Amino acid sequence: MSKEKQFVTEITPQHEDFSRWYIDVIKKADLMDYSPVRGCIVFRPDGFEIWEHIQGELDRRFKETGHRNAYFPIFIPESFFQKEKEHVEGFNPELPWVTEAGGEKLEERLAIRPTSETMIGHMYAKWIQSYRDLPVLINQWANVVRWEKRTLPFLRTSEFLWQEGHTAHETEEEARQETMQMLEIYRDFVENFLAIPVISGQKTPSEKFAGAVDTYSIEAMMKDGRAVQAGTSHYMGTNFAVAFDIQYLSRDNNLEYVHTTSWGVSTRLIGSLIMVHGDDRGLALPPKVAPTQVIMIPIGPPKAREQVLARTDELYAELKAAGIRVRVDDRADVSPGWKFNEYEMRGVPLRLELGPRDLDNGVAVLVSRISGEKRVVPQDNLVAEVQSMLDQIHREMYERAKQFRDDNFLSVDSLDEMKTLMENKRGFVLAGWCGSAACEKQVKEETGATSRNIPFEPAERKASCLVCGDAAQHTVVFARAY
């Protein structure tokens, strides 16, 4: 028993040190390890499989809406960045440069890809000649590099994995429709696949993507009250089209610039999953994204072991055939209690226990990682019972996360009120904003919070700016963020 207790206490409680808890969990659950390169991590199989499930589901949704995958080089000539001034200024501090190759100094420095707008803009200028070539709907799954000063595994690393969609359209209306369509795909995916409630809205000018006309985001609340930008979609207007001369012959035989968009999510979604759903026992993974959805643990005395294992194998085959990601832990040198703790810590949504008495009664015991509910179910209906309980676990995880967010969503009318609240509470703050960059900057300087977005559907509309008291042009969500 002491060994089982010790296993759990190796994770720092969230209330003591949330950052330490986070590192403890991802290390203990074998999701990643640190690489010898500063700010870069190694994805271990469980961590990478979470990304594979995210990638697989999003890729399916992208293709359903007509997008296709392509791949562009990781090296980008320096001259490409100079073509879009705002873009290069936004990324310059984070750019690593290649200056030598093959033992010789390069004539032109090459940036290691921080994002691909410039390279893709160059290629689109070659590919697009006529309105018949439009729209271009391309997505790329890739790695990117941004040389971060402060790093945190999954949430902010010098190299990370993501997808970046880049589309080109005849008209502003079509491009804006694309921008909002992709934002909605992200919202629906994060809420219904990852069980994370988000707030959809538009970024303020100071927070929009470098080179974009308008940026839209979905924002999620972590259990320490901080925000994570879980996905973004950008309407780029003709900024990159003009910079890279992406023109097409219109239906009226005029040369026109295309309207472009870009949109993306990254492996920071893994960090969000951990911080939204995890608890003091470790990971808690939504069933749709969990590498292992069901862990089967045979129990009972050695004399019944052979019979229990035989039936376990039969039930395992049934679950696997139904597409359920299931594993069996039949180690004889580890106690069932230790296994229970281990797989709770690893976030496996559902535990299946099977012992000699269960065999006699034709039942199995299902235990939820989230609620702890134990359900005795008939073996001859096991697949349906497991699928039903996995669905219930997903719903419970979403509702718990939403309730936490609602309980920590504050409303203020003045900066002083906001400062007082944020000193004593965690969470998001809803406030009025006049639209002045100076007022927005003052909020950040005095509270450490940034504007997350201007929500499409705020809980209430604010009448006055929290800083200057003038009429509010927008109701804004502020929060400290990762």
Side-chain angles (χ1 to χ4, degrees):
M1 191 66 182
S2 61
K3 186 179 180 182
E4 290 162 18
K5 285 183 179 177
Q6 183 184 358
F7 188 89
V8 178
T9 57
E10 289 177 11
I11 296 175
T12 303
Q14 289 184 346
H15 72 273
E16 283 186 15
D17 186 336
F18 191 81
S19 296
R20 187 70 251 168
W21 167 86
Y22 177 73
I23 298 298
D24 287 349
V25 165
I26 59 178
K27 288 282 289 176
K28 192 71 184 170
D30 295 328
L31 297 184
M32 55 70 67
D33 205 347
Y34 293 102
S35 84
V37 180
R38 179 197 161 279
C40 297
I41 63 171
V42 175
F43 285 72
R44 299 191 68 173
D46 272 359
F48 194 74
E49 189 171 333
I50 292 172
W51 180 241
E52 287 180 313
H53 294 313
I54 290 171
Q55 184 178 24
E57 177 63 17
L58 278 175
D59 202 60
R60 180 186 69 78
R61 294 179 184 224
F62 296 161
K63 287 172 179 171
E64 278 184 355
T65 46
H67 301 85
R68 299 186 69 193
N69 290 329
Y71 186 79
F72 298 85
I74 194 171
F75 301 114
I76 301 175
E78 183 174 13
S79 58
F80 282 23
F81 286 94
Q82 305 305 327
K83 291 184 179 183
E84 218 294 325
K85 185 172 180 291
E86 186 180 347
H87 190 69
V88 71
E89 287 176 354
F91 281 103
N92 206 36
E94 301 173 347
L95 289 177
W97 295 98
V98 177
T99 58
E100 293 183 20
E104 297 180 1
K105 189 168 183 178
L106 298 177
E107 290 184 11
E108 180 179 8
R109 292 196 303 174
L110 299 175
I112 300 176
R113 171 178 55 214
T115 181
S116 297
E117 275 78 7
T118 57
M119 176 60 72
I120 291 174
H122 174 82
M123 300 310 299
Y124 281 7
K126 294 175 62 176
W127 298 345
I128 298 168
Q129 305 299 325
S130 161
Y131 70 88
R132 294 183 180 89
D133 299 323
L134 298 170
V136 176
L137 307 175
I138 283 180
N139 174 64
Q140 172 176 238
W141 292 96
N143 62 335
V144 293
V145 175
R146 298 178 185 176
W147 213 249
E148 300 281 359
K149 291 181 179 178
R150 296 178 59 205
T151 61
L152 188 63
F154 298 123
L155 284 173
R156 194 171 291 278
T157 50
S158 296
E159 179 195 25
F160 56 92
L161 307 179
W162 78 348
Q163 58 74 211
E164 50 179 320
H166 298 273
T167 68
H169 305 263
E170 283 187 71
T171 66
E172 176 178 347
E173 181 182 8
E174 287 180 17
R176 286 193 177 276
Q177 286 175 353
E178 165 79 5
T179 303
M180 301 315 293
Q181 172 187 249
M182 301 320 293
L183 186 74
E184 175 57 19
I185 285 175
Y186 289 152
R187 183 207 62 79
D188 186 76
F189 167 77
V190 172
E191 293 198 334
N192 294 314
F193 199 79
L194 305 184
I196 298 174
V198 294
I199 297 168
S200 300
Q202 182 174 354
K203 287 286 191 182
T204 63
S206 70
E207 294 290 329
K208 69 181 175 68
F209 180 71
V213 174
D214 292 311
T215 290
Y216 303 88
S217 72
I218 52 173
E219 304 286 334
M221 183 188 293
M222 306 299 102
K223 274 193 174 173
D224 62 350
R226 288 179 177 264
V228 165
Q229 182 177 281
T232 51
S233 187
H234 317 282
Y235 169 61
M236 314 296 283
T238 58
N239 290 350
F240 282 87
V242 171
F244 288 88
D245 198 28
I246 314 172
Q247 295 188 77
Y248 70 97
L249 195 63
S250 73
R251 298 169 194 270
D252 300 326
N253 276 340
N254 295 316
L255 274 179
E256 305 279 356
Y257 287 107
V258 299
H259 293 257
T260 65
T261 78
S262 72
W263 30 272
V265 298
S266 74
T267 39
R268 67 175 10 212
L269 286 176
I270 299 174
S272 301
L273 274 174
I274 298 163
M275 286 190 171
V276 168
H277 297 304
D279 56 30
D280 286 347
R281 290 178 290 158
L283 286 179
L285 295 173
K288 294 178 184 179
V289 79
T292 302
Q293 295 172 312
V294 180
I295 183 68
M296 300 182 73
I297 300 179
I299 56 178
K303 63 181 180 180
R305 179 174 172 79
E306 190 173 328
Q307 184 183 10
V308 171
L309 287 179
R311 185 56 178 152
T312 298
D313 289 343
E314 292 172 355
L315 296 176
Y316 167 84
E318 288 181 23
L319 293 171
K320 193 171 180 63
I324 295 165
R325 296 189 292 275
V326 56
R327 286 178 55 204
V328 176
D329 188 338
D330 58 1
R331 290 175 293 173
D333 59 339
V334 180
S335 74
W338 195 93
K339 294 177 186 178
F340 295 169
N341 281 334
E342 179 176 24
Y343 292 108
E344 282 191 351
M345 181 275 300
R346 292 182 180 274
V348 176
L350 194 58
R351 183 171 80 237
L352 189 156
E353 302 170 13
L354 192 69
R357 200 172 294 172
D358 302 316
L359 261 57
D360 294 341
N361 296 326
V363 298
V365 178
L366 301 180
V367 184
S368 166
R369 164 64 176 87
I370 300 305
S371 66
E373 175 194 354
K374 281 194 174 186
R375 190 181 296 179
V376 179
V377 301
Q379 292 178 20
D380 58 9
N381 194 37
L382 185 62
V383 169
E385 294 284 359
V386 164
Q387 289 172 332
S388 172
M389 202 156 176
L390 289 174
D391 289 343
Q392 178 183 319
I393 288 169
H394 177 91
R395 290 193 300 272
E396 288 176 350
M397 292 184 76
Y398 178 82
E399 290 302 325
R400 285 190 181 194
K402 186 174 183 299
Q403 188 62 57
F404 178 86
R405 187 192 70 183
D406 293 348
D407 290 345
N408 292 279
F409 210 123
L410 316 169
S411 175
V412 302
D413 295 313
S414 70
L415 184 56
D416 285 341
E417 186 183 357
M418 179 175 173
K419 286 160 65 176
T420 301
L421 274 174
M422 295 200 76
E423 285 170 6
N424 299 295
K425 295 185 178 181
R426 60 189 175 187
F428 289 6
V429 174
L430 195 67
W433 175 53
C434 65
S436 156
C439 286
E440 184 181 8
K441 183 181 179 183
Q442 190 173 340
V443 172
K444 183 177 181 178
E445 288 174 348
E446 296 194 25
T447 69
T450 55
S451 61
R452 303 317 306 156
N453 64 27
I454 302 165
F456 298 140
E457 298 176 0
E460 60 176 309
R461 301 278 178 181
K462 292 293 188 176
S464 60
C465 177
L466 80 161
V467 178
C468 67
D470 289 350
Q473 297 299 312
H474 305 285
T475 299
V476 178
V477 174
F478 291 93
R480 292 173 179 151
Y482 283 100

